[in-house]
């Protein structure tokens, strides 16, 4: 992994890894106490959208004034796919397989980003990247065979849920980097559009399927998801700021963010002992997935 980027870029990319290593743990606690993925997704995006809109009103004189419709469409699409669908899938994965397992599988998103680059952009598949794919797949296999995660048990098929989240987040990150490269939106404007679009998409989905899946949940679960939303607002803005910098290449940022499962393991071991089992197999699988993700995304830099 190429760590030649300036220190501010590295810190801005590493901060979300720590924060997103912690949020799955508190979310798992709320999900196990009666919360559900749809409620969690809506609460988180409602909180962080509010934070961004307030921040825009306070810190920018003419928010969204110089942004083209094309750029708005890019971030709106990233929000609908990479945020709305991605969060629904990752919360569902957290509920099914546990925080430590779902967080690790989510780090497979560079695999999908690379597939997009190779298939649609014609980028070459380097030897380190190919090796990273093998390591990542082996890591997912180890996780599947590991006796860990949610104590209620889960099947290999359940891994498809956080794996789908990884695909959605990969599409979202590629679109965000593309939109930020246009340089007509600030990171705060970009993340606000992204999250507001996700809020609209989730609200439409809930209106169609019924509000009962969001209402009448334990009060404490709303508070926990709101705290997660506040943490996520900081993490997302940090990631968008890193991506907006000239040195903020996906090959640098994604591997650093992909280290979040290492923190989730520690937090899960400390706070989720009654809900999850962090076995040696889980630790080995997480390490392999993180290493594979680093090779897949930063592979060319290792040559």
């Amino acid at each position: 992994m190429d760590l030649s980027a300036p220190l501010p870029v590295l810190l801005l990319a590493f901060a979300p890894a720590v924060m997103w290593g912690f949020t799955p743990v508190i979310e798992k606690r709320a999900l196990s106490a009666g919360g559900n993925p749809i409620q969690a997704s809506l609460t988180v995006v409602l909180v962080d959208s509010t934070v961004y809109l307030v921040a825009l009103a306070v810190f920018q004189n003419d928010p969204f004034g110089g942004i083209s419709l094309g750029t708005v469409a890019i971030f709106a699409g990233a929000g609908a796919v990479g945020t709305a669908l991605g969060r629904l899938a990752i919360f569902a994965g957290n509920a099914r397989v546990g925080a430590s397992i779902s967080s690790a599988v989510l780090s497979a998103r560079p695999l999908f980003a690379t597939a997009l680059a190779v298939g649609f952009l014609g980028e070459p598949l380097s030897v380190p990247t190919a090796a990273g794919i093998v390591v990542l797949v082996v890591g997912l296999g180890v996780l599947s065979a590991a006796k860990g995660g949610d104590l209620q048990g889960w099947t290999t098929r359940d891994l498809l849920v956080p794996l789908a989240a990884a695909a959605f987040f990969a599409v979202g990150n590629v679109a965000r980097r593309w939109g930020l490269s246009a340089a007509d939106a600030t990171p705060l404007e970009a993340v606000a559009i992204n999250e507001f679009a996700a809020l609209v998409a989730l609200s439409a989905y809930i209106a169609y399927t019924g509000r009962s899946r969001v209402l009448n949940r334990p009060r404490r679960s709303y508070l926990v998801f709101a705290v997660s939303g506040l943490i996520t607002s900081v993490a997302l803005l940090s990631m968008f700021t890193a991506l907006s910098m000239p040195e903020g290449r996906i090959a640098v940022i994604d591997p650093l963010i992909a280290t979040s499962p290492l923190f989730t393991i520690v937090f899960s071991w400390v706070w989720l002992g009654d809900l999850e089992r962090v076995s040696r197999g889980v630790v080995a699988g997480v390490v392999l997935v993180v290493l594979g993700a680093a090779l897949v995304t930063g592979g060319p830099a290792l040559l």
Side-chain angles (χ1 to χ4, degrees), residues 46-241:
L46 180 61
V47 169
D48 66 19
S49 295
T50 302
V51 170
Y52 296 139
L53 291 177
V54 171
L56 280 169
V58 172
F59 297 109
Q60 290 197 209
N61 294 326
D62 184 26
F64 310 117
I67 305 177
S68 67
L69 289 177
T71 300
V72 171
I74 291 172
F75 291 124
V81 176
T83 297
L85 293 179
R87 284 188 188 158
L88 281 173
I90 197 57
F91 280 124
N94 195 338
R96 291 191 183 197
V97 302
S100 55
I101 301 292
S102 63
S103 180
V105 175
L106 184 62
S107 290
R109 70 179 179 276
L111 178 63
F112 298 99
T114 300
L116 289 171
V118 173
F120 293 97
L121 301 180
E123 293 186 5
L125 183 65
S126 68
V127 174
T129 298
I133 291 174
V134 173
V135 173
L136 199 155
V137 171
V138 170
L140 292 176
V142 171
L143 283 176
S144 177
K147 301 298 182 181
D150 197 292
L151 290 177
Q152 294 184 1
W154 49 273
T155 65
T156 300
R157 187 170 58 182
D158 289 329
L159 292 179
L160 293 176
V161 179
L163 199 61
F168 292 138
F169 284 130
V171 172
N173 274 356
V174 171
R176 289 159 187 157
R177 175 61 175 167
W178 180 30
L180 287 166
S181 66
D184 61 353
T186 66
L188 183 55
E189 290 172 330
V191 73
I193 295 170
N194 183 98
E195 294 303 282
F196 186 74
L199 177 61
V200 171
L202 285 170
S203 298
Y205 175 75
I206 292 168
Y208 177 76
T209 59
R211 292 179 297 174
S212 61
R213 305 177 74 178
V214 175
L215 303 176
N216 302 320
R217 298 291 165 178
R219 291 184 179 180
R220 186 177 178 182
S221 65
Y222 292 100
L223 177 60
V224 172
F225 294 138
V227 170
S228 178
L230 290 173
I231 297 173
T232 295
S233 67
V234 177
L236 267 178
L237 182 58
S238 180
M239 183 186 75
F240 270 71
T241 303

Side-chain angles (χ1 to χ4, degrees), residues 266-280:
V266 176
F267 294 136
S268 296
W269 180 73
V270 174
W271 285 303
L272 294 180
D274 59 327
L275 296 175
E276 296 189 21
R277 179 170 53 249
V278 180
S279 64
R280 292 180 181 179

